[in-house]
């Protein structure tokens, strides 16, 4: 399967192809940025699924900016769509860059702010975002000592990575 990404210039008089970085790359999660006129965000992946980039493209100027670059040369790269929080102009990116799946907070311009979770356990998903109180509710596993690593739990954590709290009951 081969995919290509095109956009119309601002006047709508011509169609422009986004210049590929890798041979036979694919594009995922293409969307207009809600507060950025003329800007789309997309994820580009290489054919072997070992590298990806989260990119912005200004369709008026043709300027492309890659916010996040992830890659493993000898392994499949898993990923999740970025989770946007328009109220705080943040987005959360899930990555296995540490060897474990965790979330990282970025500003909408791609500026890294902080790791939200870390350590020898895996966060699998964001369940809910409380933008007003700057809290994430997460599902994760392999953190609780002495139990099957496949058991999932619900956690809460502040946007800045503090206050990680187990919210569901566990057997003693």
């Amino acid at each position: 399967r081969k995919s290509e990404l095109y956009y119309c210039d601002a006047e709508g008089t011509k169609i422009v192809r986004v210049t590929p970085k890798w041979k036979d790359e694919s594009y995922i999660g293409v969307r207009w940025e809600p507060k950025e006129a003329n800007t789309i965000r997309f994820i580009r992946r290489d054919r072997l699924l070992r590298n990806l980039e989260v990119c912005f493209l200004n369709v008026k100027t043709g300027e492309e900016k890659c916010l996040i670059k992830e890659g493993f040369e000898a392994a499949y790269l898993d990923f999740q769509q970025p989770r946007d929080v328009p109220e705080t102009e943040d987005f959360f990116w899930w990555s296995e860059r540490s060897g474990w799946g965790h979330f990282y907070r970025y500003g909408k311009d791609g500026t890294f702010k902080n790791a939200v979770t870390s350590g020898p356990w895996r966060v699998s998903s964001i369940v809910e975002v409380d933008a007003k109180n700057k809290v994430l509710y997460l599902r994760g596993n392999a953190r609780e000592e002495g139990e099957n690593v496949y058991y999932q739990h619900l956690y809460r954590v502040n946007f800045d990575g503090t206050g990680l709290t187990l919210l569901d009951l566990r057997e003693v």
Side-chain angles (χ1 to χ4, degrees):
R1 170 182 115 191
K2 183 177 180 180
S3 64
E4 298 174 345
L5 182 59
Y6 292 86
Y7 64 92
C8 258
D9 70 354
E11 288 77 38
T13 58
K14 64 179 180 175
I15 296 177
V16 180
R17 180 179 179 200
V18 172
T19 305
K21 179 175 181 177
W22 301 295
K23 182 180 189 294
D24 299 330
E25 69 186 18
S26 59
Y27 303 92
I28 305 151
V30 179
R31 69 180 197 103
W32 288 103
E33 279 298 293
K35 294 184 178 181
E36 298 291 324
N38 303 313
T39 303
I40 59 172
R41 183 177 74 193
F42 61 91
I43 298 172
R44 83 167 19 115
R45 292 195 77 168
D46 68 341
R47 185 179 65 81
L48 297 175
L49 307 178
R50 293 180 179 168
N51 296 283
L52 66 81
E53 295 179 342
V54 178
C55 300
F56 280 157
L57 174 71
N58 183 313
V59 298
K60 187 174 184 177
T61 66
E63 180 185 353
E64 185 179 311
K65 177 182 176 187
C66 291
L67 307 178
I68 299 173
K69 298 176 183 186
E70 299 262 344
F72 292 114
E73 285 309 312
Y76 167 81
L77 181 63
D78 198 6
F79 83 101
Q80 297 180 22
Q81 292 288 339
R83 182 68 177 261
D84 294 295
V85 185
E87 299 89 339
T88 62
E89 297 190 342
D90 290 317
F91 71 90
F92 293 92
W93 176 249
W94 183 89
S95 173
E96 293 178 313
R97 65 180 71 153
S98 70
W100 295 88
H102 288 289
F103 279 98
Y104 300 86
R105 182 170 66 137
Y106 287 84
K108 74 173 190 169
D109 63 353
T111 304
F112 175 77
K113 292 188 174 182
N114 60 278
V116 178
T117 57
S118 63
W121 64 293
R122 182 180 193 276
V123 179
S124 55
S125 63
I126 294 176
V127 176
E128 191 60 57
V129 176
D130 178 352
K132 179 181 175 188
N133 295 307
K134 296 185 178 180
V135 172
L136 292 178
Y137 294 90
L138 308 166
R139 199 170 279 128
N141 56 299
R143 183 175 182 269
E144 305 310 312
E145 192 172 323
E147 72 177 23
N148 187 312
V149 297
Y150 294 104
Y151 291 168
Q152 288 211 344
H153 291 286
L154 180 66
Y155 298 90
R156 105 183 258 296
V157 64
N158 297 320
F159 280 19
D160 65 4
T162 62
L164 180 67
T165 306
L166 174 66
L167 294 178
D168 57 7
L169 299 175
R170 56 181 185 157
E171 295 183 27
V172 180

